[in-house]
Amino acid sequence: MVFSMILDSTLETLYMVFFSTFFSLLMGFPIGILLVITKEGNILEKPKLNKVLEIIINTLRSFPFIILMICLFPLSRIIVGTTIGSTAAIVPLSISAAPFVARMIEGALNEVDRGLIEASSSMGASNSTIIWKVMIPETMPHIIHGITVTVISLIGFSAMAGTIGAGGLGDLAIRFGYQRFKTDIMIYSVIVIILLVQVLQSLGNYLVYRAKKNR
């Protein structure tokens, strides 16, 4: 019985984390690129657009996750038809992680040697070629590391989301472990979360190592 509950909750957590990671990358990756290339002196200099993006990112990052999740209940209802459950939690999880992804991509791309960009531009490379053939491959280890940190953060966010009905290991630990005084279930939930983090961090470290080796 306990094993079945732990397994189901683990699968719910992985489901939330996988899709929220996917959608946060889908939103945050292009914004992170824009934050870099629209800066003054860069390949697509647009200071006004850059300032707007900065304000949006900083505003979203300033919201505590629980408050943001409650604020996004109406959006979750519009998109998935409900505010309860793992699928509904993907909406606020994705939106909360997207600014983090954008900053992570910005930080990684800022590490690219400006001389390399200028050399590519002087050889006639288009902006898209510079971005996808020069900047991103050059910083791939940093990007993989950032994605790993994002995934691990989303595991923590998904556990917090469980406190307001999102399902997953956080929900199991609160509803059955804490509220029903079943300490064993709470301990098992925490152990599984720790194991998930350890496995994902190890996988991320390995992928970073491979990216550095193949660069």
Side-chain angles (χ1 to χ4, degrees):
M1 178 65 176
V2 173
F3 175 78
S4 176
M5 292 168 64
I6 293 289
L7 178 61
D8 290 344
S9 296
T10 301
L11 292 175
E12 285 182 352
T13 294
L14 291 174
Y15 168 74
M16 287 188 287
V17 170
F18 176 81
F19 282 102
S20 57
T21 299
F22 174 78
F23 289 119
S24 64
L25 287 171
L26 204 62
M27 292 183 286
F29 209 98
I31 294 174
I33 293 172
L34 284 172
L35 282 169
V36 174
I37 65 175
T38 58
K39 284 182 179 177
E40 189 173 347
N42 222 313
I43 58 175
L44 190 66
E45 187 176 337
K46 291 185 183 297
K48 290 183 179 179
L49 175 59
N50 188 269
K51 187 66 176 177
V52 170
L53 291 174
E54 288 276 355
I55 292 171
I56 293 171
I57 293 300
N58 291 337
T59 300
L60 288 173
R61 290 184 72 192
S62 67
F63 275 84
F65 174 68
I66 292 295
I67 296 174
L68 180 63
M69 186 168 186
I70 293 170
C71 291
L72 291 173
F73 273 168
L75 182 60
S76 296
R77 187 179 297 278
I78 291 170
I79 294 175
V80 300
T82 182
T83 60
I84 303 298
S86 303
T87 301
I90 291 171
V91 176
L93 284 170
S94 302
I95 293 174
S96 67
F100 182 83
V101 171
R103 287 300 187 193
M104 175 269 294
I105 296 296
E106 179 191 21
L109 297 183
N110 278 332
E111 296 295 317
V112 179
D113 186 1
R114 289 299 300 272
L116 188 61
I117 297 173
E118 290 171 1
S120 301
S121 182
S122 66
M123 293 173 65
S126 65
N127 290 344
S128 60
T129 299
I130 292 172
I131 293 167
W132 297 105
K133 299 291 186 180
V134 178
M135 298 174 72
I136 290 177
E138 190 68 18
T139 59
M140 188 54 69
H142 297 287
I143 292 173
I144 294 172
H145 174 73
I147 293 172
T148 303
V149 173
T150 301
V151 172
I152 290 172
S153 297
L154 281 168
I155 292 175
F157 286 160
S158 71
M160 284 191 283
T163 62
I164 48 179
L169 290 166
D171 178 61
L172 181 68
I174 294 295
R175 261 193 317 126
F176 290 90
Y178 177 72
Q179 294 178 350
R180 300 188 185 183
F181 304 102
K182 294 185 177 180
T183 308
D184 58 333
I185 291 180
M186 183 181 291
I187 292 172
Y188 294 148
S189 299
V190 172
I191 289 172
V192 173
I193 290 173
I194 292 171
L195 289 174
L196 285 176
V197 170
Q198 293 295 329
V199 169
L200 289 169
Q201 185 63 65
S202 297
L203 177 61
N205 291 341
Y206 172 75
L207 292 175
V208 168
Y209 166 76
R210 295 293 301 177
K212 287 182 177 178
K213 189 174 180 181
N214 295 331
R215 193 165 57 172

